[in-house]
Amino acid sequence: MIVQRVVLNSRPGKNGNPVAENFRVEEVNLPDNINEGQVQVRTLYLSVDPYMRCRMNEDTGTDYIMPWQLSQVVDGGGVGIIEESKHKNFTKGDFVTCFNWPWQTKVILDGNSLEKVDPQLVDGHLSYFLGAIGMPGLTSLIGVQEKGHITAGSNQTMVVSGAAGACGSLAGQIGHLMGCSRVVGICGTHEKCLFLTSELGFDAAINYKKENVAERLRELCPAGVDVYFDNVGGDISDTVISQMNQNSHIILCGQISQYNKDVPYPPPLPPAVEAIRKEKNITRERFLVFNYKDKFESGILQLSQWFKGGKLKIKETMINGLENMGAAFQSMMTGGNTGKQIVCISEETSLKSL
């Protein structure tokens, strides 16, 4: 059977901006038979995420993420449906997900690498398992729980950068749900600001491309900042940190403004900002969601409960077609998405009635 796949065509270079042309689509033959322990799956949805930028380099700079290889199939978060199974845990028609799903229309996988998902948890929106009810949701929830030190009723102010992205859009809502009295988002367009305040319940939003962030933060956070959910790093974060309170906390989720530069992760703060951080005893610890696997199951249930109860609003930017994976990646890296960027490879019609 002939299937389509996406391979890494070229590397952007450690200091280069990724473009759609770094990826290419090619046809490949899928074996007719599967071996014991394997399953054949049809890919439904694939995820593109900022962390993937380092996988485009020859060296990712981390020991827990492997680089993509030139002319080899690219992989990441995916959801699909089993078409044939020779694994005891799976049968035809099961919905499954994994973190290293090949960017391919159909694929043969080791059943042990897959996790079964229950469509009821997401009211049939299977792509949510790649976003709010998946890794970005867990990253936001566990990050806020473990590193935010939020105490309900203590009048805390939270600031979120990259606030209209996959993690930011969830983190601000979770901040409110866990007891922050004020949540302010920072993003890059007027439309995104409006989305945060009118749809997601943020108390205010700042457009960093049009407004003076330091001035607006002073206006919108008169009591200072207690919790900062940082998705971007760079100048924006330096500005927020300068207005943080004594013994406050930075949740270090991502540093997308730095991903096209050859710097260590997390990037060191400029000396003047680091001095403020030390003087005010602000925590800024590296946060890796994979260190909290024991909290994944309960976290997914909590996120699903909030979603089904109307307390957690979920936003996606959906692009169709495997041939658009590169374009979707480029768009996500430059802020083209609101909420989670997803690529639909093929749809599952049997769920429409859920």
Side-chain angles (χ1 to χ4, degrees):
M1 186 197 318
I2 302 289
V3 299
Q4 285 188 311
R5 69 176 189 173
V6 174
V7 300
L8 188 65
N9 189 45
S10 56
R11 300 188 189 277
K14 281 202 164 184
N15 297 302
N17 294 320
V19 292
E21 291 71 31
N22 292 135
F23 303 93
R24 75 170 186 270
V25 179
E26 60 180 33
E27 292 192 334
V28 66
N29 202 18
L30 199 68
D32 292 330
N33 300 317
I34 61 171
N35 298 326
E36 205 56 45
Q38 290 185 324
V39 294
Q40 183 186 302
V41 292
R42 173 162 57 89
T43 305
L44 298 173
Y45 299 100
L46 292 172
S47 176
V48 290
D49 303 275
Y51 82 87
M52 292 174 167
R53 173 62 186 85
C54 68
R55 299 193 69 188
M56 299 182 83
N57 299 334
E58 276 179 71
D59 173 13
T60 64
T62 67
D63 48 9
Y64 62 96
I65 296 175
M66 293 292 104
W68 289 328
Q69 299 302 323
L70 286 171
S71 296
Q72 298 294 308
V73 69
V74 176
D75 67 310
V79 170
I81 184 169
I82 292 188
E83 296 193 319
E84 188 187 345
S85 172
K86 283 193 180 173
H87 190 285
K88 60 183 189 312
N89 295 351
F90 302 106
T91 54
K92 185 178 177 181
D94 283 348
F95 296 104
V96 288
T97 185
C98 79
F99 197 62
N100 294 105
W101 193 290
W103 289 8
Q104 200 163 301
T105 49
K106 293 189 181 195
V107 64
I108 293 170
L109 294 170
D110 176 353
N112 292 336
S113 69
L114 297 170
E115 203 177 317
K116 205 182 290 192
V117 291
D118 176 6
Q120 298 286 346
L121 286 175
V122 291
D123 285 349
H125 298 279
L126 290 170
S127 55
Y128 289 1
F129 286 121
L130 300 178
I133 320 293
M135 216 40 79
L138 287 170
T139 302
S140 306
L141 175 63
I142 297 169
V144 172
Q145 280 176 336
E146 297 292 320
K147 302 290 186 185
H149 303 275
I150 294 167
T151 313
S154 58
N155 228 17
Q156 286 163 300
T157 296
M158 178 194 241
V159 170
V160 182
S161 59
C167 286
S169 61
L170 300 169
Q173 296 181 80
I174 291 167
H176 264 322
L177 287 165
M178 292 184 70
C180 280
S181 58
R182 188 160 185 76
V183 176
V184 176
I186 302 173
C187 55
T189 70
H190 173 67
E191 291 73 23
K192 286 181 179 180
C193 286
L194 205 58
F195 163 69
L196 294 179
T197 53
S198 64
E199 291 187 47
L200 300 190
F202 280 63
D203 297 285
I206 301 169
N207 179 350
Y208 74 88
K209 290 183 181 172
K210 293 279 171 71
E211 300 180 89
N212 181 313
V213 177
E215 268 177 33
R216 291 290 284 141
L217 276 174
R218 278 191 289 274
E219 288 167 21
L220 297 170
C221 310
V225 178
D226 302 295
V227 185
Y228 173 40
F229 196 96
D230 184 7
N231 284 300
V232 302
D235 295 343
I236 290 173
S237 289
D238 298 345
T239 304
V240 177
I241 294 167
S242 303
Q243 297 193 30
M244 290 184 76
N245 293 327
Q246 194 73 28
N247 303 322
S248 55
H249 303 281
I250 298 167
I251 303 163
L252 202 56
C253 178
Q255 304 280 281
I256 197 168
S257 75
Q258 307 297 301
Y259 286 171
N260 295 327
K261 300 174 188 171
D262 187 10
V263 292
Y265 186 85
L269 296 169
V273 181
E274 179 59 20
I276 293 169
R277 189 197 68 75
K278 279 189 172 154
E279 186 192 330
K280 291 187 175 175
N281 191 33
I282 302 167
T283 61
R284 182 184 185 255
E285 298 160 355
R286 188 172 181 178
F287 167 66
L288 280 180
V289 73
F290 289 110
N291 291 342
Y292 299 90
K293 283 186 174 170
D294 57 318
K295 298 188 188 303
F296 282 13
E297 199 176 334
S298 59
I300 291 292
L301 289 174
Q302 174 66 83
L303 292 161
S304 169
Q305 204 179 332
W306 279 336
F307 159 61
K308 294 183 90 157
K311 292 178 178 176
L312 191 67
K313 304 282 194 300
I314 300 177
K315 174 74 173 171
E316 290 180 321
T317 298
M318 186 80 75
I319 292 180
N320 289 318
L322 187 80
E323 70 280 4
N324 289 315
M325 290 300 296
F329 185 83
Q330 182 180 353
S331 172
M332 176 270 308
M333 285 297 295
T334 50
N337 58 303
T338 301
K340 181 76 186 79
Q341 178 72 65
I342 297 282
V343 181
C344 175
I345 307 304
S346 65
E347 287 206 86
E348 185 43 50
T349 48
S350 68
L351 285 171
K352 295 302 179 210
S353 58
L354 264 184

